[in-house]
């Protein structure tokens, strides 16, 4: 039996969605975030040394990193689904987006979240205005331009194709869901980028996506 160690409001929601798309049986071990820090609980470190989610256990295999998990599950259980044919242009695009999601898309979104928290963090009253100015300046000069450039890039990449790897829905779309949803939640993505906005609408309408939400619980991205 496949087991997903699932942290609420996290990247592990993608793994539940993928398993639903594949029609695989699985069980969920749930973890709640610390209400003060929003971090994963120490119990996750008993499963993987880094104490982060998702972690997949499949027989003797314990695997972390959402991109690696997505590629493993699609390759082992997909039966030709969700990964384009080897050596095809679509397969190369799929691999690219599997890596892009965390390697390029998420860092500026994480910076934006950090700067927002810095501006509201508890501190001495006399330090608050300085901290807020610094956070606002860093967000304006560092995070926001990168996010805008990336969203424009994603919008252009969906020109002439329905899905990130090509004409067909693939594992790349599952992996890309987290940064795009994070951008919609806290980084200004809206209908002003119609292709990307329509892509987001279409993934939300997939039955497997909805089943994963029912099993995984509420999905809020304010915590990253």
């Amino acid at each position: 039996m496949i087991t997903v160690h699932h942290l609420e409001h996290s990247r592990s929601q993608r793994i539940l969605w993928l398993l639903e798309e594949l029609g695989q049986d699985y069980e969920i071990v749930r973890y709640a975030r610390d209400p003060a820090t929003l971090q994963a609980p120490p119990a996750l470190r008993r499963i993987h040394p880094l104490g982060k989610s998702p972690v997949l256990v499949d027989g003797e295999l314990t695997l972390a990193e959402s991109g690696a998990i997505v590629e493993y599950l699609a390759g082992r259980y997909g039966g030709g689904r969700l990964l384009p044919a080897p050596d095809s242009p679509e397969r190369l695009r799929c691999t690219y987006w599997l890596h892009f999601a965390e390697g390029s898309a998420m860092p500026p979104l994480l910076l934006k979240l950090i700067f927002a928290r810095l501006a509201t963090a508890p501190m001495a009253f006399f330090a608050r205005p300085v901290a807020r100015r610094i956070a606002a300046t860093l967000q304006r000069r560092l995070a926001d331009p990168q996010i805008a450039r990336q969203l424009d890039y994603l919008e252009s990449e969906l020109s002439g194709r329905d899905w990130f790897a090509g004409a067909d829905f693939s594992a790349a779309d599952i992996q890309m869901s987290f940064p795009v949803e994070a951008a919609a939640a806290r980084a200004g993505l809206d209908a002003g980028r119609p292709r990307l906005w329509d892509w987001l609408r279409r993934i939300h309408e997939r039955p497997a996506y909805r089943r994963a939400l029912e099993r995984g619980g509420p999905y809020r991205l304010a915590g990253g």
Side-chain angles (χ1 to χ4, degrees), residues 42-98:
L44 261 173
R45 290 201 292 270
R46 293 197 291 269
I47 309 303
H48 189 276
L50 294 181
K52 295 186 177 182
S53 179
V55 177
L56 180 88
V57 177
D58 187 11
E60 298 298 315
L61 174 70
T62 298
L63 187 62
E65 290 296 333
S66 55
I69 294 170
V70 167
E71 194 165 5
Y72 165 76
L73 289 173
R76 178 160 185 178
Y77 297 108
R81 293 175 296 151
L82 300 184
L83 287 177
D87 300 322
S88 66
E90 290 79 11
R91 182 60 168 265
L92 182 58
R93 285 186 60 84
C94 184
T95 300
Y96 172 78
W97 294 113
L98 286 175

Side-chain angles (χ1 to χ4, degrees), residues 102-200:
E102 295 294 334
S104 294
M106 281 307 300
L109 289 164
L110 181 58
L111 285 176
K112 186 176 181 69
L113 178 63
I114 291 170
F115 297 150
R117 289 185 180 172
L118 176 62
T120 59
M123 65 187 71
F125 74 92
F126 56 82
R128 234 174 263 143
V130 176
R132 287 173 179 167
R133 281 198 301 273
I134 292 172
T137 299
L138 290 172
Q139 181 166 299
R140 185 176 65 253
R141 294 183 180 179
L142 184 59
D144 288 348
Q146 290 188 56
I147 292 169
R149 188 159 55 247
Q150 289 201 15
L151 292 177
D152 288 343
Y153 172 57
L154 298 180
E155 178 77 6
S156 70
E157 286 295 299
L158 289 173
S159 175
R161 59 178 66 88
D162 289 335
W163 304 102
F164 276 105
D168 298 321
F169 175 80
S170 75
D173 299 291
I174 294 174
Q175 181 70 349
M176 283 297 296
S177 65
F178 190 83
V180 176
E181 288 179 317
R186 61 174 182 252
L189 173 61
D190 58 21
R193 292 181 175 88
R195 298 186 192 98
L196 199 51
W197 194 249
D198 180 65
W199 175 89
L200 192 60

